[in-house]
């Protein structure tokens, strides 16, 4: 009988920049597990064929990153409830010979928020989300799952904010789309502000909004982690707000995958964080 693999893969295009191999290699080494985590650059044209040909002899599973999350979701026949809700897959694992598509982005976002603030998530009353793209979805779904009852979504393309509000809004949580130009007036009363856009990331345009109205008592979470201290976080910090950077989300979203593939629930430690921070500094 052919031996099962002990290698996890990350599929992306491009994928060389991914920090996930550093994270998983750190844990494999820490826990003395014989295994590997490798990158596979697969083009959008080839992704379905690649996934369709995978067997447990090739890999224990892995991660899916940009631009394949939606395509892999559509191609797979088996999904977890989280992937079904988001129509996107970031984690793959085998179960009884079937390749399962899972999504841990919302888990990563919430776990890092819980690790960073003492306030119960359900008690946030004025949540403002910037962006309505692929990254906003798991964050909104995770906040709703935690019991948040009202969320405003600001997006440059208003129709996308409307669509997301209609998709995730319910009796449990009221979702209100707002115009990008109206961010400042809504910011005044926000207790949790989350940037889910790529604005402010190295090589991307800045998040050109007036940060002057960020309340001192608010929590400001930027999912961008390169740079670690974005212009938004620097402005929020200067106002005295509690800042949460995007690196923790990346680290926490990796936990469930590692546990599925290698049978050990890993810890997100300061040592691991420092390792990624020094790697980010090398490439900045
Ligand atoms: P996705 O996450 O679906 O791949 P994206 O193109 O990466 O989408 O964009 C992510 C988010 O950043 C979106 O909310 C996008 O706004 P639009 O829906 O209007 O495209 C937002 N975004 C990107 N560039 C922006 C800019 N220059 N100003 C304001 N928002 C921007």
């Amino acid at each position: 009988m052919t031996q099962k693999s002990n290698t996890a893969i990350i599929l992306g295009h491009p994928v060389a920049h991914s920090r996930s191999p550093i994270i998983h290699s750190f844990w494999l080494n820490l826990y003395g597990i014989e295994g590997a985590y490798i990158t596979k650059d697969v083009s959008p044209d080839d992704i379905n064929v690649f996934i369709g040909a995978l067997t447990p002899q090739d890999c224990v599973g892995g991660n899916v990153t940009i631009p394949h999350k939606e395509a892999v979701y559509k191609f797979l026949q088996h999904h977890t409830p989280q992937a079904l809700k988001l129509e996107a897959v970031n984690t793959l694992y085998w179960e009884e010979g079937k390749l399962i598509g899972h999504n841990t982005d919302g888990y990563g976002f919430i776990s890092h928020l819980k690790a960073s603030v003492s306030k119960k998530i359900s008690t946030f009353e004025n949540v403002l989300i910037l962006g309505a793209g692929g990254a906003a979805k798991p964050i909104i779904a995770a906040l709703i799952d935690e019991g948040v009852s009202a969320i405003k979504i600001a997006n440059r393309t208003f129709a996308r904010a409307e669509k997301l509000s209609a998709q995730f809004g319910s009796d449990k949580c009221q979702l209100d789309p707002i115009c990008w130009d109206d961010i400042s007036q809504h910011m005044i009363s926000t207790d949790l502000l989350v940037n889910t856009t790529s604005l402010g990331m190295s090589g991307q345009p800045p998040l050109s909004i007036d940060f002057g109205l960020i309340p001192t008592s608010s929590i400001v979470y930027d999912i961008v982690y390169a740079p670690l201290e974005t212009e938004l976080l620097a402005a929020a910090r200067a106002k005295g707000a509690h800042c949460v950077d995007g690196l923790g989300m990346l680290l926490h979203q990796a936990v469930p995958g590692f546990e599925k593939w290698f049978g050990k629930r890993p810890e997100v430690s300061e040592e691991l964080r420092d390792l990624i921070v020094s790697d980010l500094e090398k490439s900045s």
Side-chain angles (χ1 to χ4, degrees):
M1 202 178 121
T2 330
Q3 264 217 315
K4 278 196 179 169
S5 169
N6 63 358
T7 298
I9 55 177
I10 175 164
L11 305 172
H13 184 71
V15 73
H17 66 282
S18 170
R19 263 80 190 192
S20 293
I22 306 176
I23 299 170
H24 291 286
S25 301
F26 172 86
W27 284 331
L28 285 168
N29 192 38
L30 179 70
Y31 300 117
I33 297 170
E34 231 179 89
Y37 184 100
I38 58 168
T39 58
K40 282 265 181 215
D41 192 319
V42 181
S43 78
D45 286 346
D46 298 332
I47 191 71
N48 287 355
V49 172
F50 187 90
I51 293 278
L54 279 180
T55 71
Q57 281 74 49
D58 300 316
C59 66
V60 284
N63 288 121
V64 179
T65 188
I66 291 165
H68 300 316
K69 291 183 179 189
E70 284 84 15
V72 171
Y73 168 80
K74 284 189 188 132
F75 183 75
L76 286 177
Q77 279 148 22
H78 308 282
H79 305 95
T80 61
Q82 291 87 347
L84 275 176
K85 194 188 287 183
L86 303 170
E87 299 173 322
V89 162
N90 82 332
T91 302
L92 300 166
Y93 61 88
W94 296 100
E95 205 168 76
E96 294 167 4
K98 296 179 190 126
L99 191 57
I100 312 291
H102 184 35
N103 197 305
T104 67
D105 284 333
Y107 168 86
F109 170 81
I110 285 292
S111 299
H112 181 43
L113 184 56
K114 284 181 180 170
S116 307
V117 304
S118 52
K119 195 172 159 170
K120 203 162 181 273
I121 312 292
S122 60
T123 62
F124 285 108
E125 288 178 346
N126 288 292
V127 178
L128 176 57
I129 304 287
L130 307 183
K137 264 190 178 186
I139 289 171
I140 291 166
L143 288 168
I144 295 172
D145 283 347
E146 287 297 318
V148 170
S149 59
I151 300 174
K152 288 173 189 160
I153 306 170
N155 199 50
R156 175 182 61 176
T157 310
F158 186 69
R160 278 183 104 186
E162 277 184 312
K163 194 171 165 210
L164 215 51
S165 300
Q167 189 180 351
F168 288 107
S170 69
D171 296 349
K172 236 175 97 188
C173 184
Q174 180 174 337
L175 294 189
D176 289 314
I178 66 164
C179 293
W180 190 254
D181 290 344
D182 295 340
I183 287 174
S184 297
Q185 79 189 58
H186 291 281
M187 201 187 269
I188 300 168
S189 54
T190 193
D191 50 7
L192 174 64
L193 172 71
V194 186
N195 173 39
T196 76
T197 75
S198 49
L199 299 176
M201 190 189 289
S202 317
Q204 297 289 323
L207 189 57
S208 312
I209 53 173
D210 180 5
F211 303 124
L213 297 167
I214 293 173
T216 303
S217 57
S218 64
I219 287 157
V220 178
Y221 191 152
D222 197 336
I223 71 159
V224 170
Y225 60 83
L228 211 48
E229 182 83 342
T230 58
E231 216 184 307
L232 169 63
L233 291 188
R237 210 178 294 283
K239 293 279 295 184
H242 186 128
C243 292
V244 182
D245 67 50
L247 182 52
M249 178 174 171
L250 174 76
L251 302 178
H252 282 278
Q253 65 77 34
V255 169
F258 188 91
E259 186 178 21
K260 279 276 180 203
W261 311 321
F262 302 115
K264 166 83 190 167
R265 189 156 186 90
E267 197 199 337
V268 173
S269 62
E270 276 305 312
E271 194 187 353
L272 172 60
R273 191 183 151 88
D274 291 347
L275 185 68
I276 306 294
V277 170
S278 62
D279 187 69
L280 288 169
E281 282 166 356
K282 259 191 267 163
S283 52
S284 67

